[in-house]
Amino acid sequence: MPSYSTIETTKQVLLSSFENNLPVLPEVRARGLEYVEFSGDSPEPLIPIVLQAHESFAALKGLEGIIAVVLSKQRFGLDQDLKASVNCSHAALFPAMSFLSTVDGVHKWNPEMKKKIVDTDLNQVYSNVYRRMLTNIYPTKDGRFYHLHASLDATPSFKALGLPPYDEGRNEYQAAQKVIEQRTQQLSSDEIEATIRAIKQAGSPCLTREEFLASPYGRYVSSRPLFELKKLESTSPVLKLSPEGPNILSGVKVLDLTRVIAGPVISRTLGEYGADILRVTSRNLPDQSYYAVDFNFGKRTIDLDLKSPEGRQVFESLLEEVDVIVDGYRPGAFAKLKYGPEDILKRFAGKRGFVYVKESCYGDGGDWSDRPGWQQIADSVSGVSWANGKALGLEEPVPPPFPLADYGAGELGCIAALNALHYRMTKGGSYFTSVSLVKYNDWLLSLGSYPAPLWSSMLTAHGNDIRKLRHNSNFDQVGLAAINSMQRLHPHLWDSEPDFVYEALNTPFGAVKTQSPVVRVEPYKTASKGWITATRPAGYDSSPRWA
C-alpha cells in the first residue's frame, strides 16, 4: 500500500470545503492554503472510524485559521507573511476532548467527579441508568433499527412508548436496555417514528447513506454549503475594532445561549481569540453537568430567567452592546421569547450590526428543520451509524467514536461566526448564519471512506477495543473504547505533547486539564496563554455585565 499522508489528505479535504458555494468573501477563497500551515503528519489516522474524521477536523481547523488570518490583517493592517498553524494530530483529538480532560486528575466517568461539579441534571437522564439507556439504538419489529433519545427529560418518550418513566430495579446497562428493547421489538420503525414525532421529541430511524439521500431533506442538505449565511440588513455601519487589540476578537461581545456540546464549543473557540463572552443559563433548565468543565473556558457565566420581567430586563440591557449571539436551543425557542434574529433586527433597526449564529441538529432549511435532535440522532439519520457498523463487518448500525457531529457543528459554528464578523468588518450590516449536526455528517460521508488496505490496518491495530462494539453500545462505551485504544497506540499525544494540553490550576472546579487551542496565529491569538478567563460552573458570576 502506498504511504498515506494525513496532511496531504487534509489539504484535499480543506479544498473540498469550499464546494457548494461556501459563503466566504473572495479573499478567503482565493488565498486558501496560503494562510495555513499543517504539521503532525501521521502514518495512520488517529480516530478509529472508516470515515475521514481525522482529516475533516484538521481541515476545519485550517479553515478557521485562514479566516482568523484574514481578520488579523483586516484589524491590524498587517503586511507580513502571517500564517495560521494547525497540528493535524492535535485537531484529531478535538472531538475526544471530554474523554481526555480531568479535574484534579479525575476523569469524567469517575464517581468522584460528581463531587467537583454543580449538578444540573434536573431530570436524571444521566444519573439514572434506566432513563439514560433510553438514548440508544434499538431493534424494531420489522427488522430495522431506531435511535431513541432521552434528550434532557426522558419522561415524555417513555410515556409515549408505554413504558414507566422510572424503574429503579433496572440499575445496570443491560437490564435497562432489555426492558426498552422488549418494547421496541413490538413496534415497527415507522410506528416508533410516528409516536416520537407526535410528542415532538428527538429520535430517528437508522438510515443508510442511500436512504438519507433519497429523502427530500437529504437531497436538500447535500446541496447546501457547510454553513449558511443570510444578510439581515445592510445599513448599519462597518464594525470597527481597535488596532491596539491585543487579540483578534478583543472587544467583540458574545452572548452564549447554549447547552450540552455543539453550541458551547462555538463560543469556547471564539474565546480563544479574546472575545468577551457571557454564557447565559437558567437554574430552572437542565443541562449536562460535566461539560461545563471544558466548555466554559473563556467565559463568564450568569443565571437569568428569561421568562421573568427581571431576567428579561437584564438580558435586554446586555443586548444593547452585543456583537454575536450564539443560539443552541430547540428551533424557535428564542423567537417565542421575542429574542430571535428578526426580533433583534427590529430592536437595533440598522443602528448597529450584529451576528446571529444558530446551531441545531437539522439546520435552518428543509422539511425537517423544525425537528429537535442530538448528535446520536444526526448520526442515525444521515447514515454515519450504518457506515460505521458495516465497516466493522456487521449488519447493524453502530454509533461512531466520540460526538463527531457535535464537535463538527461546533467548529463550523465558530468558522461561521468569524466569517460573519469578516463581513461586518468589511461591508457592515447584520447577518444570520447557521450550522447543523446533520450537515457536518453529510459532508463527512461525502468525503468517502479510507482505502480498504488502510482501514484494514487501522482495524487490526485497534483490535478488540473497537471490534467488540455493537448497535446497543452506548455513547460512553463507544467513546471509552476509542480513547483507550488511541491512548494505547499513541500514548505520547496526550502525555508527552505539552502543546496539546492546557492546565488551569485554580478554577472553581479544581485543577483542570483540558485540550489547548488547536489553531495558532501568533501573536494575535490567545493560544499561548489559553484563555483570558478560566473555566467556571454555570451561573457562577453574580454581575450580569460585559467585562
Side-chain angles (χ1 to χ4, degrees):
M1 182 181 69
S3 60
Y4 181 83
S5 169
T6 51
I7 287 180
E8 291 308 311
T9 307
T10 292
K11 291 177 181 178
Q12 296 170 19
V13 171
L14 174 57
L15 291 175
S16 82
S17 72
F18 288 99
E19 297 174 2
N20 288 351
N21 299 314
L22 191 71
V24 295
L25 287 169
E27 183 179 0
V28 175
R29 185 178 295 276
R31 303 304 294 269
L33 294 176
E34 293 180 36
Y35 285 165
V36 63
E37 187 170 55
F38 293 105
S39 62
D41 207 5
S42 174
E44 289 187 355
L46 302 183
I47 303 174
I49 188 171
V50 72
L51 303 174
Q52 297 179 37
H54 177 126
E55 295 81 0
S56 78
F57 281 99
L60 291 181
K61 285 296 180 182
L63 181 56
E64 174 195 323
I66 291 168
I67 299 178
V69 167
V70 171
L71 286 175
S72 293
K73 292 177 175 289
Q74 185 74 27
R75 177 166 190 170
F76 302 115
L78 302 176
D79 296 324
Q80 69 260 42
D81 185 22
L82 187 66
K83 281 193 175 185
S85 60
V86 174
N87 184 296
C88 294
S89 295
H90 192 183
L93 294 178
F94 182 65
M97 184 187 305
S98 65
F99 290 83
L100 291 166
S101 59
T102 59
V103 178
D104 296 329
V106 174
H107 285 90
K108 172 184 176 183
W109 292 270
N110 190 312
E112 290 296 308
M113 181 59 71
K114 292 182 180 180
K115 301 176 183 178
K116 301 178 181 296
I117 57 179
V118 176
D119 185 9
T120 55
D121 183 19
L122 304 185
N123 297 314
Q124 295 182 290
V125 295
Y126 299 102
S127 59
N128 183 291
V129 172
Y130 171 71
R131 288 168 70 78
R132 185 179 186 128
M133 286 303 101
L134 186 68
T135 302
N136 256 104
I137 295 174
Y138 288 99
T140 61
K141 181 180 178 180
D142 52 347
R144 303 191 69 188
F145 293 88
Y146 194 94
H147 206 312
L148 295 167
H149 203 289
S151 299
L152 291 171
D153 185 1
T155 297
S157 293
F158 271 123
K159 287 184 175 180
L161 291 169
L163 291 169
Y166 290 87
D167 188 340
E168 298 305 331
R170 313 281 180 173
N171 54 12
E172 295 181 352
Y173 280 16
Q174 290 183 345
Q177 288 178 343
K178 184 177 180 180
V179 70
I180 300 170
E181 181 177 311
Q182 288 174 341
R183 179 55 180 152
T184 64
Q185 288 187 320
Q186 296 171 351
L187 301 167
S188 70
S189 178
D190 288 345
E191 287 172 328
I192 297 175
E193 174 77 343
T195 299
I196 295 301
R197 289 284 155 257
I199 60 171
K200 298 182 179 180
Q201 292 298 297
S204 169
C206 294
L207 304 180
T208 64
R209 171 72 168 161
E210 294 73 24
E211 288 172 326
F212 173 71
L213 291 177
S215 70
Y217 173 76
R219 290 193 294 271
Y220 171 81
V221 168
S222 65
S223 72
R224 303 305 302 163
L226 277 172
F227 57 86
E228 305 283 349
L229 182 71
K230 174 184 176 183
K231 178 177 279 191
L232 296 174
E233 55 85 17
S234 56
T235 58
S236 61
V238 167
L239 174 64
K240 293 184 179 179
L241 299 174
S242 169
E244 300 300 319
N247 303 122
I248 298 170
L249 295 187
S250 294
V252 173
K253 297 177 175 64
V254 180
L255 273 177
D256 176 341
L257 312 174
T258 67
R259 290 187 289 184
V260 194
I261 299 181
V265 165
I266 297 172
S267 47
R268 180 194 199 261
T269 313
L270 292 175
E272 297 172 15
Y273 292 90
D276 180 6
I277 301 173
L278 272 177
R279 187 176 184 194
V280 179
T281 55
S282 170
R283 63 174 61 93
N284 300 322
L285 296 175
D287 200 354
Q288 214 294 1
S289 311
Y290 174 80
Y291 289 120
V293 171
D294 289 312
F295 299 150
N296 283 350
F297 273 101
K299 309 173 187 181
R300 286 178 300 112
T301 64
I302 58 174
D303 180 83
L304 288 179
D305 180 2
L306 298 188
K307 293 184 178 179
S308 73
E310 298 81 9
R312 291 176 70 90
Q313 183 178 8
V314 172
F315 185 72
E316 290 174 11
S317 70
L318 295 171
L319 284 176
E320 291 305 310
E321 298 182 60
V322 74
D323 293 295
V324 179
I325 298 167
V326 183
D327 172 4
Y329 281 73
R330 182 176 289 217
F334 281 98
K336 288 181 181 178
L337 294 171
K338 303 301 181 185
Y339 297 130
E342 297 299 331
D343 302 296
I344 306 300
L345 184 61
K346 291 176 183 177
R347 179 180 297 273
F348 290 155
K351 293 181 292 186
R352 58 186 305 271
F354 67 96
V355 172
Y356 197 107
V357 183
K358 177 60 186 166
E359 170 272 315
S360 64
C361 180
Y362 291 99
D364 191 55
D367 59 343
W368 295 354
S369 61
D370 61 338
R371 295 183 178 185
W374 300 78
Q375 167 252 320
Q376 297 95 330
I377 305 308
D379 295 337
S380 293
V381 76
S382 64
V384 167
S385 294
W386 260 116
N388 190 40
K390 288 182 177 179
L392 296 175
L394 304 171
E395 286 303 318
E396 58 188 87
V398 176
F402 315 128
L404 302 176
D406 264 325
Y407 281 89
E411 176 61 20
L412 283 171
C414 171
I415 294 167
L418 293 173
N419 181 67
L421 285 170
H422 184 215
Y423 271 81
R424 281 194 63 196
M425 291 174 69
T426 55
K427 296 179 176 297
S430 297
Y431 299 87
F432 173 83
T433 189
S434 66
V435 296
S436 76
L437 282 68
V438 173
K439 181 58 199 182
Y440 167 79
N441 276 350
D442 171 71
W443 178 61
L444 176 63
L445 286 158
S446 76
L447 300 176
S449 301
Y450 292 123
L454 175 60
W455 174 239
S456 177
S457 175
M458 292 170 63
L459 197 53
T460 298
H462 286 284
N464 286 335
D465 284 328
I466 302 302
R467 288 185 182 274
K468 67 183 179 183
L469 300 174
R470 293 293 183 269
H471 70 270
N472 59 350
S473 299
N474 87 323
F475 176 86
D476 292 345
Q477 292 169 321
V478 175
L480 284 170
I483 204 65
N484 288 339
S485 184
M486 289 169 64
Q487 288 185 313
R488 173 176 56 82
L489 295 173
H490 313 284
H492 66 287
L493 290 178
W494 189 248
D495 296 331
S496 306
E497 289 282 2
D499 285 348
F500 292 4
V501 182
Y502 180 79
E503 294 187 77
L505 298 179
N506 299 304
T507 80
F509 299 110
V512 175
K513 184 178 180 180
T514 189
Q515 188 182 38
S516 63
V518 176
V519 179
R520 308 295 171 97
V521 184
E522 308 286 357
Y524 302 101
K525 188 170 181 283
T526 61
S528 60
K529 297 176 289 185
W531 291 266
I532 295 172
T533 307
T535 187
R536 73 272 316 273
Y540 181 80
D541 295 283
S542 59
S543 179
R545 59 180 176 79
W546 298 108

